[in-house]
Amino acid sequence: MINSSFEDDTARFSPNGEWVVFHSTRSGFHELWVARSDCSQVRQLTRLQSKGLGSPRWSPDGQWIAFDRNVKDNANIFKIRVDGTDLLQLTSDPAADEIMPAWSRDGEWIYFSSNKTSEPQIYRVPAAGGEIGSVTMSQGLEAIESTDGASLYFLNGNQLWRKDLRRGEESTIPEVASAAIGRDRGVL
């Protein structure tokens, strides 16, 4: 437990388990912080003085953290090195909220949810920046790629869905249709 009288949440362990990144308001703003997994060496990662920031996710190599941040009236996807350098804004649609980033297993892509259309769907952007592409045809909120990179699992309402990334087929996973799922419930 990292002691603080401020809001601390959305903690995620690094791929090697040695570090944790988390969102906190301990600076007076919504910022990202990192600490050793034993709660030592706590340090502020971002200094954006943001009113809304969260959903931190480690890159597979543990060198980057993707996150969403409110800019003006919309949320966008960013990434930053774990030493606090090389902040890069990856999305910037002024008419959409782009949230909940998730890295591909090879670290080449960052998936995210966007409400560009009437319902939120999953999109992806190259981790180095570039053209955004649509991934799901169905409504999609939060995504995670399978360990072999062949499938993308995502939430559609309160159901877990799977997209075969090679064939493009999407289907529900009936075995967990009644399960409580989502980032706050431990399934994704």
Side-chain angles (χ1 to χ4, degrees), residues 159-175:
Q159 291 188 325
L160 186 62
W161 282 56
R162 176 184 169 270
K163 175 160 186 144
D164 184 312
L165 294 172
R166 296 182 181 127
R167 292 190 297 244
E169 299 167 353
E170 293 180 7
S171 58
T172 61
I173 301 176
E175 294 82 11

Side-chain angles (χ1 to χ4, degrees), residues 59-161:
S59 62
D61 65 6
Q63 299 300 305
W64 294 90
I65 295 170
F67 60 98
D68 53 47
R69 174 184 177 222
N70 288 344
V71 178
K72 296 183 182 177
D73 294 327
N74 298 93
N76 293 283
I77 304 298
F78 291 78
K79 74 173 189 174
I80 191 169
R81 285 193 182 276
V82 296
D83 65 4
T85 62
D86 297 332
L87 177 69
L88 179 63
Q89 184 171 349
L90 297 169
T91 68
S92 61
D93 189 329
D97 285 316
E98 296 161 331
I99 59 173
M100 298 183 195
W103 291 84
S104 63
R105 297 300 176 178
D106 62 9
E108 296 295 316
W109 297 95
I110 297 175
Y111 297 100
F112 61 94
S113 179
S114 176
N115 61 356
K116 294 174 189 282
T117 61
S118 61
E119 294 183 344
Q121 292 183 310
I122 304 298
Y123 293 81
R124 70 180 188 175
V125 63
E131 188 173 332
I132 294 169
S134 178
V135 177
T136 59
M137 295 175 286
S138 302
Q139 179 180 351
L141 192 53
E142 188 171 2
I144 187 168
E145 197 176 76
S146 62
T147 55
D148 63 3
S151 299
L152 186 74
Y153 293 89
F154 62 97
L155 294 178
N156 180 338
N158 64 353
Q159 291 188 325
L160 186 62
W161 282 56

